[in-house]
Amino acid sequence: MDVLSDEQLIAQYRLAPAAERSRPLVEELFRRHQSRVVAWCYRLTGDRTQAADLAQEVFEVHDVALRHHAQSLARRAAGAAGASA
């Protein structure tokens, strides 16, 4: 994968969140930020196992939210295009 900024990864993901090519984008974001998120979760829980599990959940929830947001933007764009036609 080319070296892309986080913003570029998210922008590419938003183009086709359900596409097969979107998974590596999310995985790259996870790889980049996993240690910081786990450390943050560890400060909250005080338990390494719970921290790792919680970090995984954070990324899963973020993935779902990002997909939902992208789909919402696509629906709005389609509605706006239909209204102007």
Side-chain angles (χ1 to χ4, degrees):
M1 178 177 298
D2 294 333
V3 179
L4 301 173
S5 69
D6 291 351
E7 292 79 11
Q8 290 169 318
L9 290 170
I10 291 170
Q12 284 191 12
Y13 178 89
R14 285 181 174 164
L15 294 174
E20 191 65 31
R21 65 187 167 91
S22 70
R23 191 83 222 141
L25 302 172
V26 172
E27 289 170 359
E28 176 62 16
L29 286 168
F30 179 79
R31 185 194 63 73
R32 289 180 186 182
H33 300 285
Q34 178 184 17
S35 63
R36 283 180 284 196
V37 174
V38 170
W40 178 73
C41 292
Y42 180 72
R43 286 194 301 273
L44 292 175
T45 66
D47 180 275
R48 292 185 193 283
T49 302
Q50 285 183 346
D53 291 345
L54 185 57
Q56 182 67 35
E57 288 183 40
V58 166
F59 280 100
E60 288 173 6
V61 167
H62 182 268
D63 184 34
V64 169
L66 191 58
R67 187 177 311 122
H68 175 74
H69 181 68
Q71 291 168 347
S72 177
L73 289 174
R75 281 193 301 272
R76 274 193 241 151
S84 65

Coordinates of all heavy atoms in Angstrom, one line a residue:
M1 N 0.9 -1.2 0.0 CA 0.0 0.0 0.0 C 0.9 1.2 0.0 O 1.9 1.3 0.8 CB -0.9 0.0 1.3 CG -1.8 1.2 1.4 SD -2.9 1.1 2.8 CE -3.9 -0.3 2.4
D2 N 0.6 2.2 -0.8 CA 1.3 3.5 -0.8 C 1.2 4.1 0.5 O 0.2 3.9 1.3 CB 0.7 4.4 -1.9 CG 0.9 3.9 -3.3 OD1 1.9 3.1 -3.5 OD2 0.1 4.2 -4.2
V3 N 2.1 4.9 0.9 CA 2.1 5.6 2.1 C 1.1 6.8 2.0 O 1.3 7.8 1.3 CB 3.5 6.2 2.5 CG1 3.4 6.9 3.8 CG2 4.5 5.0 2.6
L4 N 0.0 6.7 2.6 CA -1.1 7.7 2.6 C -1.3 8.2 4.0 O -1.1 7.5 5.0 CB -2.4 7.0 2.1 CG -2.4 6.4 0.7 CD1 -3.7 5.7 0.5 CD2 -2.1 7.4 -0.3
S5 N -1.7 9.4 4.1 CA -2.0 10.0 5.4 C -3.3 9.3 5.9 O -4.1 8.7 5.1 CB -2.2 11.5 5.3 OG -3.4 11.8 4.6
D6 N -3.6 9.5 7.2 CA -4.8 9.0 7.7 C -6.0 9.5 7.0 O -7.0 8.8 6.7 CB -4.9 9.3 9.2 CG -3.9 8.5 10.1 OD1 -3.3 7.6 9.6 OD2 -3.9 8.8 11.3
E7 N -5.9 10.8 6.7 CA -7.0 11.5 6.0 C -7.3 10.9 4.7 O -8.4 10.7 4.2 CB -6.8 13.0 5.9 CG -6.8 13.7 7.3 CD -5.5 13.6 8.1 OE1 -4.5 13.1 7.6 OE2 -5.6 13.9 9.3
Q8 N -6.2 10.6 4.0 CA -6.3 10.0 2.6 C -6.9 8.6 2.7 O -7.7 8.2 1.9 CB -4.9 9.9 1.9 CG -4.4 11.3 1.5 CD -3.0 11.3 1.1 OE1 -2.1 10.6 1.7 NE2 -2.7 12.0 0.0
L9 N -6.5 7.8 3.7 CA -7.0 6.5 3.9 C -8.6 6.6 4.1 O -9.3 5.8 3.5 CB -6.4 5.8 5.1 CG -4.9 5.3 4.9 CD1 -4.3 4.8 6.2 CD2 -4.8 4.2 3.8
I10 N -9.0 7.5 5.0 CA -10.4 7.6 5.3 C -11.1 8.1 4.0 O -12.2 7.6 3.7 CB -10.6 8.6 6.5 CG1 -10.1 7.9 7.7 CG2 -12.1 9.0 6.6 CD1 -10.0 8.8 9.0
A11 N -10.6 9.0 3.3 CA -11.2 9.5 2.1 C -11.4 8.4 1.1 O -12.5 8.3 0.5 CB -10.4 10.6 1.5
Q12 N -10.4 7.5 0.9 CA -10.6 6.4 0.0 C -11.6 5.4 0.5 O -12.4 4.9 -0.3 CB -9.2 5.7 -0.2 CG -8.3 6.5 -1.1 CD -7.1 5.6 -1.5 OE1 -7.0 4.4 -1.3 NE2 -6.1 6.3 -2.1
Y13 N -11.6 5.2 1.8 CA -12.6 4.3 2.4 C -14.0 4.8 2.1 O -14.9 4.1 1.8 CB -12.3 4.2 3.9 CG -13.3 3.3 4.6 CD1 -13.1 2.0 4.8 CD2 -14.5 3.9 5.2 CE1 -14.1 1.2 5.4 CE2 -15.4 3.1 5.8 CZ -15.2 1.7 5.9 OH -16.1 1.0 6.6
R14 N -14.2 6.1 2.3 CA -15.5 6.7 2.1 C -16.1 6.5 0.7 O -17.3 6.6 0.5 CB -15.5 8.2 2.5 CG -15.5 8.4 4.0 CD -15.5 9.9 4.3 NE -15.6 10.1 5.7 CZ -15.3 11.2 6.3 NH1 -14.9 12.3 5.6 NH2 -15.4 11.3 7.6
L15 N -15.2 6.4 -0.3 CA -15.6 6.2 -1.7 C -16.4 4.9 -1.9 O -17.3 4.8 -2.7 CB -14.4 6.2 -2.6 CG -13.7 7.6 -2.7 CD1 -12.5 7.4 -3.6 CD2 -14.6 8.7 -3.3
A16 N -16.0 3.9 -1.1 CA -16.6 2.6 -1.3 C -16.5 1.7 0.0 O -15.7 0.8 0.0 CB -16.1 1.8 -2.5
P17 N -17.2 2.1 1.1 CA -17.0 1.4 2.4 C -17.3 -0.1 2.4 O -16.7 -0.8 3.1 CB -17.9 2.2 3.3 CG -18.9 2.8 2.4 CD -18.2 3.1 1.1
A18 N -18.1 -0.5 1.5 CA -18.5 -1.9 1.5 C -17.6 -2.7 0.5 O -17.7 -4.0 0.5 CB -20.0 -2.1 1.1
A19 N -16.8 -2.1 -0.2 CA -15.9 -2.7 -1.2 C -14.8 -3.6 -0.6 O -14.4 -3.2 0.5 CB -15.3 -1.7 -2.2
E20 N -14.4 -4.6 -1.2 CA -13.3 -5.4 -0.7 C -12.1 -4.7 -0.5 O -11.3 -4.9 0.5 CB -13.1 -6.6 -1.7 CG -12.2 -7.7 -1.2 CD -12.8 -8.5 -0.1 OE1 -14.0 -8.6 0.0 OE2 -12.0 -8.9 0.8
R21 N -11.8 -3.6 -1.3 CA -10.6 -2.9 -1.1 C -10.6 -2.0 0.1 O -9.6 -1.4 0.5 CB -10.3 -2.0 -2.4 CG -11.3 -1.0 -2.6 CD -11.1 -0.3 -4.0 NE -12.2 0.5 -4.4 CZ -12.3 1.8 -4.1 NH1 -11.4 2.4 -3.4 NH2 -13.4 2.5 -4.5
S22 N -11.7 -1.8 0.8 CA -11.8 -0.9 1.9 C -11.2 -1.6 3.2 O -10.7 -0.9 4.1 CB -13.2 -0.5 2.2 OG -14.0 -1.6 2.6
R23 N -11.2 -2.9 3.2 CA -10.7 -3.6 4.4 C -9.2 -3.3 4.7 O -8.9 -3.0 5.9 CB -10.9 -5.1 4.3 CG -10.7 -5.9 5.5 CD -12.0 -5.8 6.4 NE -11.5 -5.6 7.7 CZ -12.2 -4.9 8.6 NH1 -13.2 -4.2 8.3 NH2 -11.7 -4.7 9.8
P24 N -8.3 -3.3 3.7 CA -6.9 -3.0 4.0 C -6.8 -1.6 4.5 O -5.8 -1.3 5.2 CB -6.2 -3.2 2.7 CG -7.1 -4.1 1.9 CD -8.5 -3.8 2.3
L25 N -7.6 -0.7 4.1 CA -7.5 0.7 4.5 C -7.8 0.8 6.0 O -7.1 1.5 6.8 CB -8.5 1.6 3.8 CG -8.4 1.6 2.3 CD1 -9.6 2.4 1.6 CD2 -7.1 2.2 1.8
V26 N -8.8 0.1 6.5 CA -9.2 0.1 7.9 C -8.1 -0.6 8.7 O -7.7 -0.2 9.8 CB -10.5 -0.6 8.2 CG1 -10.8 -0.8 9.6 CG2 -11.6 0.2 7.5
E27 N -7.5 -1.7 8.1 CA -6.5 -2.5 8.8 C -5.2 -1.6 9.0 O -4.5 -1.7 10.0 CB -6.2 -3.7 8.0 CG -7.3 -4.8 8.2 CD -7.1 -5.9 7.2 OE1 -6.2 -6.0 6.5 OE2 -8.0 -6.8 7.3
E28 N -4.9 -0.8 8.0 CA -3.8 0.1 8.1 C -4.0 1.2 9.2 O -3.0 1.4 9.9 CB -3.5 0.8 6.7 CG -2.4 1.8 6.7 CD -1.0 1.2 7.1 OE1 -0.8 0.0 7.0 OE2 -0.1 2.0 7.4
L29 N -5.2 1.7 9.2 CA -5.4 2.7 10.3 C -5.3 2.0 11.7 O -4.7 2.6 12.6 CB -6.8 3.3 10.2 CG -7.0 4.3 9.1 CD1 -8.5 4.6 8.8 CD2 -6.3 5.6 9.4
F30 N -5.8 0.8 11.8 CA -5.7 0.0 13.0 C -4.2 -0.2 13.4 O -3.8 0.0 14.5 CB -6.4 -1.3 12.9 CG -6.3 -2.2 14.1 CD1 -7.2 -1.9 15.2 CD2 -5.4 -3.2 14.2 CE1 -7.1 -2.7 16.4 CE2 -5.4 -4.0 15.3 CZ -6.2 -3.7 16.4
R31 N -3.4 -0.6 12.4 CA -2.0 -0.9 12.6 C -1.3 0.4 13.1 O -0.5 0.3 14.1 CB -1.3 -1.4 11.3 CG 0.1 -1.8 11.5 CD 0.8 -2.0 10.2 NE 0.9 -0.8 9.4 CZ 1.7 0.3 9.7 NH1 2.5 0.2 10.8 NH2 1.8 1.3 8.9
R32 N -1.6 1.5 12.5 CA -1.0 2.8 12.9 C -1.3 3.2 14.3 O -0.5 3.8 15.0 CB -1.4 3.9 11.9 CG -0.8 3.8 10.6 CD -1.3 4.9 9.7 NE -0.8 4.7 8.3 CZ -1.0 5.6 7.4 NH1 -1.7 6.7 7.6 NH2 -0.6 5.3 6.1
H33 N -2.5 3.0 14.7 CA -3.0 3.6 16.0 C -3.2 2.6 17.1 O -3.6 3.0 18.2 CB -4.2 4.4 15.7 CG -4.0 5.5 14.7 ND1 -3.3 6.6 15.1 CD2 -4.3 5.6 13.4 CE1 -3.2 7.4 14.0 NE2 -3.8 6.8 13.0
Q34 N -3.0 1.3 16.8 CA -3.4 0.3 17.8 C -2.6 0.5 19.1 O -3.3 0.4 20.2 CB -3.1 -1.1 17.2 CG -3.3 -2.2 18.2 CD -2.9 -3.6 17.7 OE1 -2.2 -3.7 16.7 NE2 -3.4 -4.6 18.3
S35 N -1.4 0.7 19.1 CA -0.6 0.8 20.4 C -1.1 1.9 21.2 O -1.2 1.8 22.4 CB 0.9 0.8 20.1 OG 1.2 2.0 19.4
R36 N -1.4 3.1 20.6 CA -1.9 4.2 21.4 C -3.3 4.0 21.9 O -3.6 4.3 23.1 CB -1.9 5.5 20.5 CG -0.5 6.0 20.4 CD -0.5 7.3 19.5 NE -0.7 6.8 18.1 CZ -0.4 7.5 17.1 NH1 -0.1 8.8 17.2 NH2 -0.6 7.0 15.9
V37 N -4.1 3.3 21.2 CA -5.5 3.0 21.6 C -5.4 2.0 22.8 O -6.1 2.1 23.8 CB -6.4 2.6 20.5 CG1 -7.8 2.1 21.0 CG2 -6.6 3.7 19.5
V38 N -4.6 1.0 22.6 CA -4.5 0.0 23.7 C -3.9 0.6 24.9 O -4.4 0.4 26.0 CB -3.5 -1.2 23.2 CG1 -3.2 -2.1 24.4 CG2 -4.2 -2.0 22.1
A39 N -2.9 1.5 24.8 CA -2.4 2.2 26.0 C -3.5 3.0 26.7 O -3.6 3.0 27.9 CB -1.2 3.1 25.6
W40 N -4.3 3.7 25.9 CA -5.4 4.5 26.4 C -6.4 3.6 27.2 O -6.8 3.9 28.3 CB -6.0 5.3 25.3 CG -7.2 6.1 25.7 CD1 -7.2 7.3 26.4 CD2 -8.6 5.8 25.4 NE1 -8.5 7.7 26.6 CE2 -9.3 6.9 26.0 CE3 -9.2 4.8 24.7 CZ2 -10.7 6.9 25.9 CZ3 -10.6 4.9 24.6 CH2 -11.3 5.9 25.2
C41 N -6.7 2.5 26.5 CA -7.7 1.5 27.1 C -7.1 0.9 28.4 O -7.8 0.7 29.4 CB -8.0 0.5 26.1 SG -9.0 1.0 24.7
Y42 N -5.8 0.7 28.4 CA -5.1 0.2 29.6 C -5.2 1.2 30.8 O -5.5 0.8 31.9 CB -3.7 -0.2 29.3 CG -2.9 -0.7 30.5 CD1 -3.2 -2.0 31.0 CD2 -2.0 0.1 31.2 CE1 -2.6 -2.5 32.1 CE2 -1.3 -0.4 32.3 CZ -1.6 -1.7 32.8 OH -1.0 -2.2 33.9
R43 N -5.1 2.5 30.5 CA -5.2 3.5 31.5 C -6.6 3.4 32.1 O -6.8 3.7 33.3 CB -4.9 4.8 31.0 CG -3.4 5.0 30.8 CD -3.0 6.5 30.6 NE -3.6 7.2 29.5 CZ -3.1 7.1 28.3 NH1 -2.0 6.5 28.0 NH2 -3.8 7.8 27.3
L44 N -7.6 3.1 31.3 CA -9.0 3.1 31.7 C -9.3 1.8 32.5 O -10.0 1.8 33.5 CB -10.0 3.1 30.6 CG -10.0 4.4 29.8 CD1 -10.9 4.3 28.6 CD2 -10.5 5.6 30.7
T45 N -8.7 0.7 32.1 CA -9.1 -0.6 32.7 C -8.1 -1.1 33.7 O -8.4 -1.9 34.6 CB -9.2 -1.7 31.6 OG1 -8.0 -1.9 31.0 CG2 -10.3 -1.3 30.6
G46 N -6.8 -0.8 33.5 CA -5.8 -1.4 34.4 C -5.5 -2.8 34.1 O -4.7 -3.5 34.9
D47 N -6.0 -3.4 33.0 CA -5.8 -4.8 32.7 C -5.4 -4.9 31.2 O -6.1 -4.4 30.3 CB -7.1 -5.6 33.0 CG -7.0 -7.0 32.7 OD1 -7.3 -7.4 31.5 OD2 -6.8 -7.8 33.6
R48 N -4.3 -5.6 30.9 CA -3.8 -5.6 29.6 C -4.8 -6.4 28.6 O -5.0 -6.0 27.5 CB -2.4 -6.3 29.5 CG -1.4 -5.5 30.2 CD 0.0 -6.1 30.0 NE 1.0 -5.5 30.9 CZ 1.6 -4.3 30.6 NH1 1.3 -3.6 29.6 NH2 2.5 -3.8 31.5
T49 N -5.3 -7.5 29.1 CA -6.2 -8.3 28.2 C -7.5 -7.5 27.9 O -7.9 -7.4 26.8 CB -6.6 -9.6 28.9 OG1 -5.4 -10.3 29.2 CG2 -7.5 -10.5 28.0
Q50 N -8.1 -6.9 29.0 CA -9.2 -6.1 28.7 C -8.9 -4.9 27.8 O -9.8 -4.5 27.0 CB -9.8 -5.6 30.1 CG -10.6 -6.6 30.8 CD -11.2 -6.1 32.1 OE1 -10.9 -5.0 32.5 NE2 -12.1 -6.8 32.7
A51 N -7.8 -4.3 28.0 CA -7.4 -3.2 27.2 C -7.3 -3.6 25.7 O -7.8 -2.8 24.8 CB -6.0 -2.6 27.6
A52 N -6.7 -4.7 25.4 CA -6.6 -5.2 24.0 C -8.0 -5.5 23.4 O -8.3 -5.1 22.3 CB -5.7 -6.4 23.9
D53 N -8.8 -6.1 24.2 CA -10.2 -6.4 23.8 C -11.0 -5.1 23.5 O -11.7 -4.9 22.5 CB -10.9 -7.2 24.8 CG -10.4 -8.7 24.9 OD1 -9.7 -9.1 24.0 OD2 -10.7 -9.3 25.9
L54 N -10.8 -4.2 24.5 CA -11.5 -2.9 24.3 C -11.1 -2.1 23.1 O -11.8 -1.5 22.4 CB -11.4 -2.1 25.6 CG -12.1 -0.7 25.7 CD1 -13.6 -1.0 25.5 CD2 -11.8 -0.1 27.0
A55 N -9.7 -2.1 22.9 CA -9.2 -1.4 21.7 C -9.8 -2.0 20.4 O -10.1 -1.3 19.5 CB -7.7 -1.5 21.7
Q56 N -9.9 -3.3 20.3 CA -10.5 -4.0 19.2 C -11.9 -3.5 19.0 O -12.4 -3.2 17.9 CB -10.4 -5.5 19.3 CG -11.0 -6.3 18.2 CD -10.2 -6.1 16.9 OE1 -9.0 -6.0 17.0 NE2 -10.8 -6.1 15.8
E57 N -12.7 -3.4 20.1 CA -14.0 -3.0 20.0 C -14.1 -1.5 19.5 O -15.0 -1.1 18.8 CB -14.7 -3.1 21.4 CG -15.0 -4.5 21.7 CD -15.8 -4.6 23.1 OE1 -16.7 -3.8 23.3 OE2 -15.5 -5.6 23.8
V58 N -13.2 -0.7 20.0 CA -13.1 0.7 19.6 C -13.0 0.8 18.1 O -13.7 1.5 17.4 CB -12.0 1.5 20.3 CG1 -11.7 2.8 19.6 CG2 -12.3 1.7 21.7
F59 N -12.1 0.0 17.5 CA -11.9 0.0 16.1 C -13.1 -0.6 15.3 O -13.4 -0.1 14.2 CB -10.6 -0.7 15.7 CG -9.4 0.2 15.9 CD1 -8.6 0.0 17.0 CD2 -9.1 1.2 15.0 CE1 -7.5 0.8 17.2 CE2 -8.0 2.0 15.1 CZ -7.2 1.8 16.3
E60 N -13.7 -1.6 15.9 CA -14.9 -2.1 15.2 C -16.1 -1.1 15.2 O -16.7 -1.0 14.2 CB -15.3 -3.4 15.9 CG -14.4 -4.6 15.7 CD -14.7 -5.8 16.5 OE1 -15.8 -5.8 17.2 OE2 -13.9 -6.8 16.5
V61 N -16.3 -0.5 16.3 CA -17.3 0.6 16.4 C -17.0 1.7 15.4 O -17.9 2.2 14.7 CB -17.5 1.1 17.8 CG1 -18.4 2.3 17.9 CG2 -18.1 0.0 18.7
H62 N -15.7 2.1 15.4 CA -15.3 3.2 14.5 C -15.6 2.8 13.0 O -16.0 3.5 12.2 CB -13.8 3.5 14.7 CG -13.4 4.6 13.8 ND1 -12.8 4.4 12.6 CD2 -13.5 6.0 14.0 CE1 -12.5 5.6 12.1 NE2 -12.9 6.6 12.9
D63 N -15.2 1.5 12.7 CA -15.5 1.0 11.3 C -16.9 1.1 10.9 O -17.3 1.5 9.9 CB -14.9 -0.4 11.2 CG -15.0 -1.0 9.8 OD1 -14.8 -0.2 8.8 OD2 -15.2 -2.2 9.7
V64 N -17.8 0.6 11.8 CA -19.2 0.7 11.6 C -19.7 2.1 11.4 O -20.5 2.4 10.5 CB -20.0 0.0 12.7 CG1 -21.5 0.2 12.6 CG2 -19.7 -1.5 12.7
A65 N -19.2 3.0 12.3 CA -19.7 4.4 12.2 C -19.2 5.1 11.0 O -19.9 5.8 10.3 CB -19.1 5.2 13.5
L66 N -18.0 4.8 10.6 CA -17.4 5.3 9.3 C -18.2 4.8 8.1 O -18.5 5.6 7.2 CB -15.9 5.0 9.2 CG -15.1 5.7 8.2 CD1 -15.2 7.2 8.3 CD2 -13.7 5.2 8.2
R67 N -18.5 3.6 8.1 CA -19.3 3.0 7.0 C -20.7 3.6 6.9 O -21.2 4.0 5.9 CB -19.4 1.5 7.2 CG -20.1 0.8 6.0 CD -20.1 -0.7 6.1 NE -18.8 -1.3 6.5 CZ -18.6 -2.0 7.6 NH1 -19.6 -2.3 8.4 NH2 -17.4 -2.5 7.8
H68 N -21.3 3.8 8.1 CA -22.6 4.4 8.1 C -22.6 5.8 7.7 O -23.4 6.3 6.9 CB -23.2 4.3 9.6 CG -24.5 5.0 9.7 ND1 -25.7 4.5 9.3 CD2 -24.8 6.2 10.3 CE1 -26.7 5.4 9.5 NE2 -26.2 6.4 10.2
H69 N -21.6 6.6 8.1 CA -21.4 8.0 7.7 C -21.2 8.1 6.2 O -21.8 8.9 5.5 CB -20.2 8.6 8.4 CG -20.0 10.0 8.1 ND1 -20.9 11.0 8.4 CD2 -19.0 10.6 7.4 CE1 -20.5 12.2 8.0 NE2 -19.3 12.0 7.4
A70 N -20.4 7.2 5.6 CA -20.1 7.2 4.2 C -21.4 6.9 3.4 O -21.7 7.5 2.4 CB -19.0 6.2 3.8
Q71 N -22.2 5.9 3.9 CA -23.5 5.6 3.2 C -24.4 6.8 3.3 O -25.2 7.0 2.4 CB -24.0 4.3 3.8 CG -23.2 3.1 3.5 CD -23.6 1.9 4.3 OE1 -24.3 2.0 5.3 NE2 -23.1 0.7 3.9
S72 N -24.5 7.4 4.4 CA -25.4 8.6 4.6 C -25.0 9.7 3.7 O -25.9 10.3 3.1 CB -25.3 9.0 6.1 OG -26.1 10.2 6.3
L73 N -23.7 10.0 3.5 CA -23.2 11.0 2.6 C -23.6 10.6 1.2 O -24.1 11.5 0.4 CB -21.7 11.2 2.7 CG -21.2 11.9 3.9 CD1 -19.7 11.9 3.9 CD2 -21.8 13.3 4.1
A74 N -23.5 9.4 0.8 CA -23.8 8.9 -0.5 C -25.3 9.1 -0.8 O -25.7 9.5 -1.9 CB -23.4 7.5 -0.7
R75 N -26.2 8.8 0.2 CA -27.6 8.9 0.0 C -28.0 10.4 -0.1 O -28.8 10.8 -1.0 CB -28.4 8.3 1.2 CG -28.5 6.8 1.2 CD -29.5 6.3 2.2 NE -29.1 6.7 3.6 CZ -28.3 6.0 4.4 NH1 -27.8 4.9 4.0 NH2 -28.1 6.4 5.6
R76 N -27.3 11.3 0.7 CA -27.6 12.7 0.5 C -27.2 13.2 -0.8 O -27.9 14.0 -1.4 CB -26.9 13.5 1.6 CG -27.6 13.6 2.9 CD -27.0 14.6 3.8 NE -26.7 13.9 5.0 CZ -25.7 14.2 5.8 NH1 -24.9 15.2 5.6 NH2 -25.4 13.5 6.9
A77 N -26.1 12.8 -1.3 CA -25.6 13.2 -2.6 C -26.5 12.7 -3.7 O -26.8 13.5 -4.6 CB -24.2 12.7 -2.9
A78 N -27.0 11.5 -3.6 CA -27.9 11.0 -4.6 C -29.3 11.7 -4.5 O -29.9 12.0 -5.6 CB -28.2 9.5 -4.3
G79 N -29.7 12.1 -3.3 CA -30.9 12.9 -3.2 C -30.8 14.2 -3.8 O -31.7 14.8 -4.4
A80 N -29.7 14.9 -3.5 CA -29.4 16.2 -4.1 C -29.3 16.2 -5.6 O -29.9 17.1 -6.3 CB -28.2 16.8 -3.5
A81 N -28.7 15.1 -6.1 CA -28.6 15.0 -7.6 C -30.0 14.8 -8.2 O -30.3 15.4 -9.2 CB -27.7 13.9 -8.0
G82 N -30.9 14.0 -7.5 CA -32.2 13.8 -8.0 C -33.1 15.0 -7.9 O -33.9 15.2 -8.8
A83 N -32.9 15.8 -6.9 CA -33.7 17.0 -6.7 C -33.3 18.1 -7.8 O -34.2 18.9 -8.1 CB -33.5 17.6 -5.3
S84 N -32.1 18.1 -8.2 CA -31.7 19.1 -9.2 C -31.9 18.7 -10.6 O -31.8 19.5 -11.5 CB -30.2 19.5 -9.0 OG -29.4 18.3 -9.3
A85 N -32.4 17.5 -10.8 CA -32.6 17.0 -12.2 C -33.9 17.4 -12.7 O -34.8 17.7 -12.1 CB -32.4 15.5 -12.2

